[in-house]
Every structure is written in structure tokens, then in C-alpha cells.
Amino acid sequence: MNILDELKDAKIVGITGHVRPDGDCVGSTMGLYNFLKVNRPDLDVRIFLQKPGDEFNYIPRIDEIRQETDINLVCDAFVVLDCSSLDRIEPFAELFCNAKKTICLDHHISNKDFADVNLVEPDWSSTSEVLYTTLDEEKIDKDVATCIYTGIIHDTGVFKYSCTSKQTMAIAGKCMEKGIDYSDIIDNSFYAKTYIQNQILGRALLESVLFYDGKCIFSSISREIMDFYGVDGKSLGGIVEQLRLTEGVEVAIFMYEIGEGEYKVSLRSKKIIDVAKIAAKFDGGGHVRAAGFSIKGTVHGIINQIGALIEEQVKQLS
Ligand code: AMP
Ligand code: MN
Ligand code: MN
């Protein structure tokens, strides 16, 4: 696919991603936005997204993101990136569906091709990697490369998850050639933590529980604790990755309360368990080694349900 060809006849184009945007979502949507701003100056292009975390403030034109929906707007084309289903285009799904043509670029195995035109590569590291292949290389400038590199490092955990391929590295290398500040991008958007974030991370680790002979680990953060520290879910990124690093652990589970008795659950595995399969049972999704879902219940009730599904997979594998 060539995105300029797909948008050839369009005059108004919308761009969006998934609810609670992560690094790949911000990187891929802003990458396309910056690309179109320079290469289609005639276009009325608008980006709709929930507010990204402050660690992404270095992304060019990030302040042009619109957080309010506009249901009266009819776009000629609307591109959604890094989003596996319509219900995750929150709160812009209606706006997206109003468009004359819808396009989806994604890498979630659970994606069911819900747009008019779909480019879904489940084996690829990130949607930013997918986006890169739809752009003319010579038209990619430093700003676009900054966005794409951001998406890649976030979804590969800085090139270490199993989704990282030779192509991923080649594209990252091409982005480096555009003169991006790659060390700063990694430090400031991926590793940097505020004092409060470190405190909550410490608390989550302190209160984590090992189970199944140390093969699984979980931790949770209640609304009460989030209110105490004055943070939202955006400040809790990285906790599940740290849990996953625990020696001997195969599956890490982290959850935080998003509403009264409702939790956002993150799952990570090292080598054996397919967490996308587990997330799918709860209407969530993701990838084999990183997936998530939202669910109502109590922490222990949810852990018991996930534990049973892990056990089921272990039985099938043995
Ligand atoms: P997270 O644990 O939120 O970092 O998500 C890990 C991976 O699973 C990311 O690629 C997410 O896009 C995906 N994911 C998380 N929650 C959901 C969900 N409810 N539905 C589909 N995919 C999800
Ligand atoms: Mn994402
Ligand atoms: Mn992604």
C-alpha cells in the first residue's frame, strides 16, 4: 500500500488511534500526520486522540492533537492506526465511521479487518513499522522519522521483545539516517520516570505476589492509591515490564482500577504462554507476548480466572 495513493482524491482526512494511546499509537498516528502536513500541504488533515503522556511532548506537532470529537465532520478518508477493533477508537468511533473511506494500519493478530482498506501485519513489531512501508522513503523527514522510531522502540521494549526483526532494525536504522536524536528519544520517552512514577512502581513491586511456583507474578494498583499519588493510568506504564523481568517468571499480570470495580489488565509472557489468547477470552487483544483487556470484578477473582486459563495452556502444552 502507498498511503499517498490511497488518499489521492481526499480533501479532508482524519487520523486516529486507540484509547489510552501508547508509544506506538502516538508514534504511528503523529508520523502519518507529520508526513501528510509536509507532503500534502493542500490537505485538511486532522488528528483525534486522547491526550498522550507528557513524555511524548518532543513529538513534532503533538499540540495539534484534537481531543474533542466532531460528529458533524464528514472526512473523505479516515485512517486509524494501531487499533484492532472499532470499540477501541474511543471516543472517535462515530466520527471514524462517518468518513467516506476508512483505512486501518495495524499489527494486532486480533484485528478483524473492520475498515474499508486494511493493512494488518501481525508478525511485525509495531504499527509504526507498518506505516513506514506505506510511505515513500525519500519523502520521510526527521520529524516523521522521530515519530516512527518512537513507535518502534516502545513496542519492541527498545529492540528486545521477540517481535523485533531484521526489518525492524533496518527501518530503525533508516530513521537514524534522517538525523533523529535517538538517545534522547529512548531516554526521555521510554526510560525516564517522574519521582511519583518511581514511587508507584516501587509500591507495585513491593506488593507483588508470586504464584504457580514462581512462574507467574501479579500486582495491582487501586483507585485509592492512584488518587493518593494524584496520577492516572498513563503514569503506570512500565510496571508490567518490570514484573516480567522477575527471574523464573513466565507470565506477569498488572492491573489498575479504571472505574468502580473495573480494571485494566496488562499481560506479558516470556517464552511459552500465549497471552493474546487469554486476553481474547475477555474481549481484549494484543500480541502473543503482550496483551490486555478491561474487566469488572475483584483483583483476586480476576487473577483466579486468568490463572485457570494459564493452567489450561500449560496442560495443552505438556
Ligand atoms: P497494554 O498491556 O495495554 O500495554 O497492551 C499490550 C498490547 O495489547 C498492546 O499492543 C495493546 O494495543 C493490546 N491491547 C491492550 N488492551 C487491549 C484490548 N482491550 N483490546 C485489544 N488489544 C489490547
Ligand atoms: Mn498500542
Ligand atoms: Mn502497537
Side-chain angles (χ1 to χ4, degrees):
M1 181 200 289
N2 180 299
I3 204 75
L4 287 177
D5 289 346
E6 289 295 337
L7 303 176
K8 200 169 55 223
D9 304 319
K11 291 189 173 62
I12 309 177
V13 168
I15 298 174
T16 191
H18 63 72
V19 61
R20 294 185 289 271
D22 56 12
D24 184 31
C25 184
V26 175
S28 58
T29 53
M30 287 306 300
L32 177 59
Y33 183 74
N34 277 288
F35 183 83
L36 293 176
K37 277 283 176 189
V38 172
N39 293 293
R40 277 291 307 274
D42 58 307
L43 203 64
D44 177 355
V45 53
R46 307 176 192 198
I47 177 159
F48 299 87
L49 215 54
Q50 288 182 335
K51 191 179 172 354
D54 290 340
E55 67 271 31
F56 298 112
N57 283 348
Y58 65 90
I59 295 273
R61 297 190 169 95
I62 191 105
D63 55 338
E64 292 176 26
I65 289 178
R66 295 159 194 248
Q67 280 142 44
E68 300 297 319
T69 191
D70 178 0
I71 47 165
N72 297 318
L73 178 70
V74 178
C75 291
D76 298 312
F78 218 112
V79 191
V80 63
L81 298 104
D82 201 37
C83 185
S84 54
S85 56
L86 263 181
D87 60 315
R88 300 239 310 146
I89 314 181
E90 216 176 288
F92 309 112
E94 196 176 344
L95 177 60
F96 175 79
C97 293
N98 281 348
K100 292 175 193 156
K101 174 180 180 178
T102 57
I103 302 170
C104 175
L105 304 186
D106 190 26
H107 70 130
H108 289 92
I109 202 161
S110 47
N111 192 304
K112 298 206 171 58
D113 292 350
F114 60 88
D116 298 328
V117 181
N118 301 277
L119 178 59
V120 181
E121 298 287 359
D123 294 331
W124 292 13
S125 71
S126 54
T127 301
S128 299
E129 185 175 333
V130 178
L131 172 69
Y132 184 93
T133 64
T134 72
L135 310 177
D136 307 83
E137 275 183 357
E138 71 284 0
K139 292 182 179 151
I140 295 175
D141 63 10
K142 182 180 169 185
D143 286 353
V144 175
T146 295
C147 298
I148 289 176
Y149 192 83
T150 296
I152 289 177
I153 61 150
H154 277 261
D155 264 19
T156 59
V158 192
F159 308 116
K160 72 173 184 174
Y161 298 151
S162 59
C163 60
T164 312
S165 70
K166 189 175 162 189
Q167 171 174 285
T168 315
M169 303 306 283
I171 292 174
K174 295 256 176 70
C175 290
M176 289 166 81
E177 277 177 353
K178 303 280 178 184
I180 61 170
D181 302 317
Y182 48 88
S183 298
D184 279 358
I185 295 174
I186 293 174
D187 264 351
N188 299 340
S189 82
F190 192 84
Y191 288 112
K193 295 250 180 289
T194 62
Y195 175 65
I196 294 288
Q197 280 177 316
N198 271 335
Q199 284 201 309
I200 300 179
L201 168 67
R203 190 157 178 162
L205 299 179
L206 198 66
E207 291 172 6
S208 64
V209 179
L210 279 173
F211 62 110
Y212 285 155
D213 294 334
K215 298 259 182 318
C216 300
I217 191 166
F218 85 86
S219 192
S220 64
I221 295 285
S222 67
R223 181 112 311 259
E224 221 179 338
I225 293 176
M226 289 166 75
D227 290 346
F228 175 79
Y229 288 104
V231 299
D232 58 18
K234 288 200 286 269
S235 297
L236 308 178
I239 295 178
V240 71
E241 271 76 25
Q242 191 58 44
L243 291 170
R244 175 189 166 274
L245 289 174
T246 313
E247 198 178 349
V249 158
E250 167 62 18
V251 182
I253 305 161
F254 174 69
M255 60 180 103
Y256 65 89
E257 212 172 353
I258 47 175
E260 190 61 34
E262 186 174 5
Y263 289 84
K264 160 78 182 80
V265 182
S266 287
L267 304 172
R268 300 289 184 275
S269 69
K270 273 197 193 131
K271 284 197 153 55
I272 303 162
I273 298 297
D274 180 345
V275 290
K277 224 185 217 174
I278 296 175
K281 295 260 188 200
F282 301 100
D283 290 329
H287 315 279
V288 188
R289 304 277 169 254
F293 60 92
S294 302
I295 187 173
K296 286 207 162 94
T298 63
V299 171
H300 284 90
I302 296 164
I303 291 297
N304 284 339
Q305 290 183 65
I306 298 170
L309 292 167
I310 293 172
E311 223 167 351
E312 211 174 273
Q313 278 196 36
V314 171
K315 273 198 197 124
Q316 279 170 2
L317 289 166
S318 58

